[in-house]
Amino acid sequence: MKAIIPVAGAGTKLRPHTYTQPKALIPLAGKTILGIIVDQLVEAGVHEFIFIVGYLGDKIQDFVEEKYPHLTTHFVHQHERMGIGHAILITREIVQDDEIIVVLGDSICEYDVKSVLQSETSLLGVKRVDDPRDFGVAEINEDGQITRVVEKPQIPKSNMALVGIYKIRETTVLFNCLENNIRNNITSYGEFNLTDALECMIGDGAVIRAYKVQNWFDCGKKETLLASNATLLKKMGQSIAADKPFENTIIIPPVSIAAGCDISNSIIGPNVAIGECVTITDSIIKDSIIGAFSDLKDIVLTQSLIGSDTEVRGESRSLNIGDNTEIDLGKR
């Protein structure tokens, strides 16, 4: 079993953060999006990973090699972003005939990973949504078998969205379908989508069943990322790697504070994730994510996403600030 993690996207909805940081490395509940995905798979027994990289791919590779030196890892560069289907096809030589699980680099779900890996049929992770028009959609019969998949249908016949988890047994069939779609320029919304190849597999007789995940955390934009951070903090529990006491500071759970932080005369929480080596003075912070090596003083923050190496001074604001930024909101 090999795991394929596509992380080549530019993450445009999370700019300015993704100008300098891959979307998959955005901090979330004391980890990173990619770290949560990899940890789930490793705990279920997966030890060989293929990372499809592109934009800022060197940062992805550095992160994986530093955090997971014990894993067998491959890094495949998608030099031209032509869609997830194209990204999966370029892994063919590494995958060969092995079974695969594909987890999109922004798909954080709660599900029984071991039962998915052990399934005797191919499985697609699904979740009921209110408006399926922005997702790949699965049509499912009474036996749980998927009869059709469609990418972003304007008139959906199902409200079961594909969540970005695909366990495929018939990899040869998948790669043949991907190759056929690219050869014949079969696209959806200008890209070679994995959904179209899955529909081709169903047409060729492959049995693909639906697997309903328990929860699906949206990490696509600031508002939903902060909401997912709050939910995951509650589920994963408080984590404070304090090297020394925080002077005159109140911590309201749940929070995650990485090592090397210096916090004084402040109120932190609830629902706050703080990266390593952050300095916070005379501030109140709640419902926010603070990147590593940032320096905050005399500030009240709520619903804010602060990038790494950032300096903030001043008064209450809701901010969306990228890395390597210096902002002074105070009066001189």
Side-chain angles (χ1 to χ4, degrees), residues 168-219:
I168 305 296
R169 288 177 59 92
E170 305 89 345
T171 48
T172 300
V173 179
L174 171 64
F175 285 127
N176 288 342
C177 283
L178 288 167
E179 202 168 58
N180 176 73
N181 287 356
I182 290 174
R183 183 171 55 249
N184 293 291
N185 199 35
I186 298 173
T187 64
S188 295
Y189 300 94
E191 293 186 337
F192 296 108
N193 273 291
L194 180 56
T195 307
D196 295 326
L198 296 170
E199 176 64 14
C200 169
M201 289 180 66
I202 293 169
D204 286 348
V207 175
I208 304 178
R209 303 185 68 82
Y211 182 89
K212 296 179 181 179
V213 301
Q214 296 163 272
N215 287 298
W216 180 20
F217 302 103
D218 188 349
C219 305

Side-chain angles (χ1 to χ4, degrees), residues 149-167:
V149 288
V150 185
E151 183 68 22
K152 298 178 182 176
Q154 293 307 298
I155 306 178
K157 294 183 179 180
S158 165
N159 60 358
M160 301 302 292
L162 302 177
V163 301
I165 296 170
Y166 315 85
K167 191 266 186 172

Side-chain angles (χ1 to χ4, degrees), residues 69-82:
H70 58 291
L71 297 179
T72 300
T73 55
H74 312 268
F75 298 90
V76 178
H77 288 262
Q78 186 185 25
H79 297 288
E80 187 177 358
R81 291 194 298 273
M82 299 167 63

Side-chain angles (χ1 to χ4, degrees), residues 3-10 22-25 34 38 49-65 73-84 86-88 90-91 94 103 105:
I4 300 177
I5 316 291
V7 282
K23 178 179 176 180
L25 297 187
L34 182 59
V38 173
F49 287 76
I50 304 169
F51 297 92
I52 304 167
V53 298
Y55 179 73
L56 299 176
D58 56 329
K59 291 192 174 185
I60 296 285
Q61 185 165 346
D62 289 345
F63 171 83
V64 171
E65 290 177 345
T73 55
H74 312 268
F75 298 90
V76 178
H77 288 262
Q78 186 185 25
H79 297 288
E80 187 177 358
R81 291 194 298 273
M82 299 167 63
I84 298 296
H86 172 261
I88 301 303
I90 63 178
T91 69
I94 300 173
V103 182

Side-chain angles (χ1 to χ4, degrees), residues 143-319:
D143 296 326
Q145 185 171 333
I146 296 175
T147 58
R148 186 172 181 241
V149 288
V150 185
E151 183 68 22
K152 298 178 182 176
Q154 293 307 298
I155 306 178
K157 294 183 179 180
S158 165
N159 60 358
M160 301 302 292
L162 302 177
V163 301
I165 296 170
Y166 315 85
K167 191 266 186 172
I168 305 296
R169 288 177 59 92
E170 305 89 345
T171 48
T172 300
V173 179
L174 171 64
F175 285 127
N176 288 342
C177 283
L178 288 167
E179 202 168 58
N180 176 73
N181 287 356
I182 290 174
R183 183 171 55 249
N184 293 291
N185 199 35
I186 298 173
T187 64
S188 295
Y189 300 94
E191 293 186 337
F192 296 108
N193 273 291
L194 180 56
T195 307
D196 295 326
L198 296 170
E199 176 64 14
C200 169
M201 289 180 66
I202 293 169
D204 286 348
V207 175
I208 304 178
R209 303 185 68 82
Y211 182 89
K212 296 179 181 179
V213 301
Q214 296 163 272
N215 287 298
W216 180 20
F217 302 103
D218 188 349
C219 305
K221 53 186 178 180
K222 175 196 166 190
E223 293 76 16
T224 55
L225 181 68
L226 291 172
S228 295
N229 180 64
T231 302
L232 287 167
L233 280 171
K234 291 182 177 72
K235 289 180 175 292
M236 297 168 67
Q238 181 154 295
S239 172
I240 300 177
D243 304 303
K244 58 183 179 180
F246 300 138
E247 181 184 351
N248 194 32
T249 292
I250 297 173
I251 304 294
I252 304 173
V255 301
S256 172
I257 303 175
C261 292
D262 186 358
I263 303 174
S264 60
N265 303 316
S266 298
I267 300 174
I268 308 297
N271 307 322
V272 174
I274 300 174
E276 63 184 6
C277 300
V278 170
T279 300
I280 300 174
T281 310
D282 302 318
S283 298
I284 300 173
I285 302 172
K286 66 176 184 177
D287 301 313
S288 298
I289 297 173
I290 312 299
F293 299 96
S294 293
D295 185 358
L296 283 62
K297 184 175 182 179
D298 298 320
I299 195 80
V300 178
L301 293 180
T302 182
Q303 291 292 315
S304 297
L305 179 57
I306 307 297
S308 301
D309 299 305
T310 297
E311 183 177 345
V312 182
R313 300 282 187 274
E315 56 187 0
S316 177
R317 290 289 188 274
S318 175
L319 302 175

